[in-house]
Amino acid sequence: MAEDRLKDLRSELDVINLELLQLLSKRADVVQRIGHLKQTRGVAIFDPEREKQQLDRLVEENPGPFPDSTIRHLFKQIFQASQGLQEEQRKLLVSRQRNHEDTVVTVRGIKIGGGVPIVVGGPCSVETDDQMEKIGQEMQVQGIQLVRGGAFKPRTSPYDFQGLGEKGLRMLRDTARKYGFATVSEIVNPADVEMAIQYVDMIQVGARNMQNFELLKAVGNTRVPVLLKRGLSATIEELIYAAEYIAARGNEQIVLCERGIRTYEKATRNTLDISAVPILKQETHLPVLVDVTHSTGRKDIMLPVAKAALAVGADGIMVEVHPEPQVALSDAKQQLNFAEFDHFMESLRSSGMIPALVTTHG
Ligand SMILES: C=C(O[C@@H]1C=C(C(=O)O)C=C[C@H]1O)C(=O)O
């Protein structure tokens, strides 16, 4: 008989537990809505004044048998868990805390961030069919799978070569099809994104557009991989927030690129912030590349800089290559010619920093 009574009471508790659970979840839902409002208003999560108000009211209404101290303790636990929910909400999508696993970005089957470093090569600008034909051959010889080539060039001077636009993207695509590689090219105007993804496999948001928020939103609306370069004077935090703009629109296929920042130093075109690489790898789950061309602006130190980048954990490097750099329409001084590029690649391979060339016979 007593046995049955115990069973009944326990069944009663089971029902109450479920009701409590429902109420806790309902409460948590409201907490998250409050959390969202706090985020948009930039308000602190923890609000001790509000917690005190609630505890005072609860103690006042406490019907017993729990003593007031127990009620305070139990509700404080609930408040803490609620705070935890709001903090969880606030973690950036790109942050390592949100996602502990490394994101691997796949561009036409080529993996960036999967543990095997890649080299992205190609000319600063797409210029002529002849130039692209030569590039195609050289990239194939060197086993480059992801080729860059600019068609929309944000140049410092409005009188400098501005790129071939859509025609340039078409030339890049045609070369890529012929030689079997994937492509990345910079887009500067949000209105061009839809057109560009008909041609390119990865969209680059260049340094000068890192905080072009409309462009970030536009590429975020696509599901095409994005190469996001650090702005000329952008902090690491600003770069991370720029990536968050893209991720917030649902596109987490983002590769970050350190390309040097403005400092007082004149020996290099920009100052490569080498420590940004491990910091970005630690703070975010995104792959990180280093652009050794724009960061240094000089060919003579590109190789040791590339080695340094890979040594600190970069998922790859980006380098500009041109069949005839001296007559290039942009970045004439810093692009490698083919002999220099061959030497550069060979040195990286022989040091074991990038995989050996797989040659196909027959
Ligand atoms: C839900 C809020 O955020 C936190 C959690 C609280 C709660 O769970 O009741 C109260 C205050 C804050 O510390 C809020 O500010 O209202």
Side-chain angles (χ1 to χ4, degrees):
M1 205 61 185
E3 237 351 56
D4 288 353
R5 183 81 192 119
L6 179 62
K7 224 171 141 195
D8 288 349
L9 288 172
R10 282 184 170 165
S11 305
E12 213 176 308
L13 272 193
D14 286 340
V15 174
I16 295 171
N17 282 346
L18 292 177
E19 284 170 2
L20 268 176
L21 184 63
Q22 293 286 332
L23 282 173
L24 282 172
S25 298
K26 195 171 163 193
R27 189 181 195 284
D29 185 58
V30 178
V31 162
Q32 282 180 320
R33 278 157 39 205
I34 292 175
H36 185 72
L37 280 181
K38 284 179 177 171
Q39 179 154 14
T40 50
R41 292 178 189 178
V43 176
I45 290 175
F46 178 50
D47 186 342
E49 199 46 47
R50 167 71 184 146
E51 292 194 8
K52 184 179 177 304
Q53 265 174 20
Q54 293 183 85
L55 290 178
D56 290 349
R57 173 92 198 272
L58 287 160
V59 164
E60 220 179 276
E61 304 275 336
N62 180 15
F66 281 129
D68 290 352
S69 60
T70 305
I71 293 297
R72 282 183 187 279
H73 177 74
L74 287 173
F75 273 88
K76 185 64 197 167
Q77 293 293 113
I78 292 174
F79 296 165
Q80 264 171 8
S82 302
Q83 231 174 285
L85 269 183
Q86 293 179 355
E87 272 154 16
E88 190 63 38
Q89 260 179 308
R90 222 173 242 208
K91 276 179 200 154
L92 297 184
L93 294 168
V94 299
S95 102
R96 176 71 76 181
Q97 288 172 23
R98 184 81 170 232
N99 182 359
H100 299 285
E101 300 294 315
D102 286 340
T103 287
V104 177
V105 173
T106 308
V107 186
R108 242 180 201 262
I110 301 147
K111 292 189 182 340
I112 310 177
V116 181
I118 67 152
V119 176
V120 181
C124 180
S125 302
V126 174
E127 299 166 3
T128 62
D129 288 326
D130 178 57
Q131 170 223 21
M132 291 311 290
E133 176 58 27
K134 287 175 177 152
I135 283 288
Q137 289 172 11
E138 172 67 7
M139 295 299 119
Q140 192 175 54
V141 167
Q142 286 302 338
I144 302 298
Q145 295 174 291
L146 180 56
V147 174
R148 58 150 292 139
F152 293 91
K153 303 300 299 177
R155 303 301 299 281
T156 303
S157 163
Y159 306 116
D160 285 341
F161 176 59
Q162 303 286 307
L164 299 179
E166 186 170 353
K167 181 172 168 229
L169 294 183
R170 201 175 304 124
M171 286 160 69
L172 180 64
R173 181 207 53 195
D174 291 346
T175 314
R177 287 222 178 123
K178 182 168 175 191
Y179 290 96
F181 46 66
T183 57
V184 53
S185 197
E186 175 168 2
I187 295 305
V188 296
N189 185 346
D192 286 337
V193 170
E194 283 305 315
M195 173 276 293
I197 61 180
Q198 311 300 316
Y199 299 101
V200 298
D201 304 304
M202 183 181 214
I203 291 181
Q204 177 178 312
V205 173
R208 285 160 187 78
N209 276 302
M210 191 203 82
Q211 284 188 320
N212 179 341
F213 299 115
E214 294 310 312
L215 182 62
L216 297 175
K217 288 180 202 168
V219 297
N221 286 339
T222 74
R223 293 298 173 265
V224 175
V226 180
L227 178 65
L228 175 64
K229 294 186 114 185
R230 180 176 179 180
L232 277 66
S233 301
T235 63
I236 292 174
E237 189 183 31
E238 286 163 344
L239 171 59
I240 292 174
Y241 275 113
E244 186 71 10
Y245 261 89
I246 301 170
R249 294 279 167 149
N251 186 357
E252 292 204 33
Q253 290 283 292
I254 308 162
V255 175
L256 304 174
C257 183
E258 163 59 39
R259 47 79 70 203
I261 50 173
R262 283 238 157 125
T263 69
Y264 49 80
E265 183 52 67
K266 294 187 295 184
T268 47
R269 179 170 166 179
N270 292 288
T271 298
L272 175 62
D273 181 5
I274 196 81
S275 51
V277 177
I279 293 172
L280 289 169
K281 297 287 298 178
Q282 213 164 290
E283 298 285 319
T284 79
H285 50 82
L286 303 173
V288 179
L289 297 186
V290 169
D291 178 339
V292 293
T293 300
H294 292 97
S295 53
T296 62
R298 40 190 292 180
K299 300 179 183 190
D300 56 340
I301 58 165
M302 251 172 227
L303 181 60
V305 167
K307 286 182 178 174
L310 295 170
V312 291
D315 297 289
I317 52 170
M318 201 166 174
V319 57
E320 285 185 352
V321 189
H322 192 284
E324 284 176 287
Q326 67 281 8
V327 298
L329 296 176
S330 54
D331 281 359
K333 281 205 287 266
Q334 64 195 30
Q335 302 193 63
L336 299 182
N337 64 33
F338 291 170
E340 290 162 338
F341 185 56
D342 289 346
H343 175 253
F344 177 85
M345 291 297 288
E346 180 47 40
S347 306
L348 287 181
R349 285 200 187 96
S350 59
S351 64
M353 303 199 86
I354 57 167
L357 200 54
V358 184
T359 46
T360 43
H361 299 282

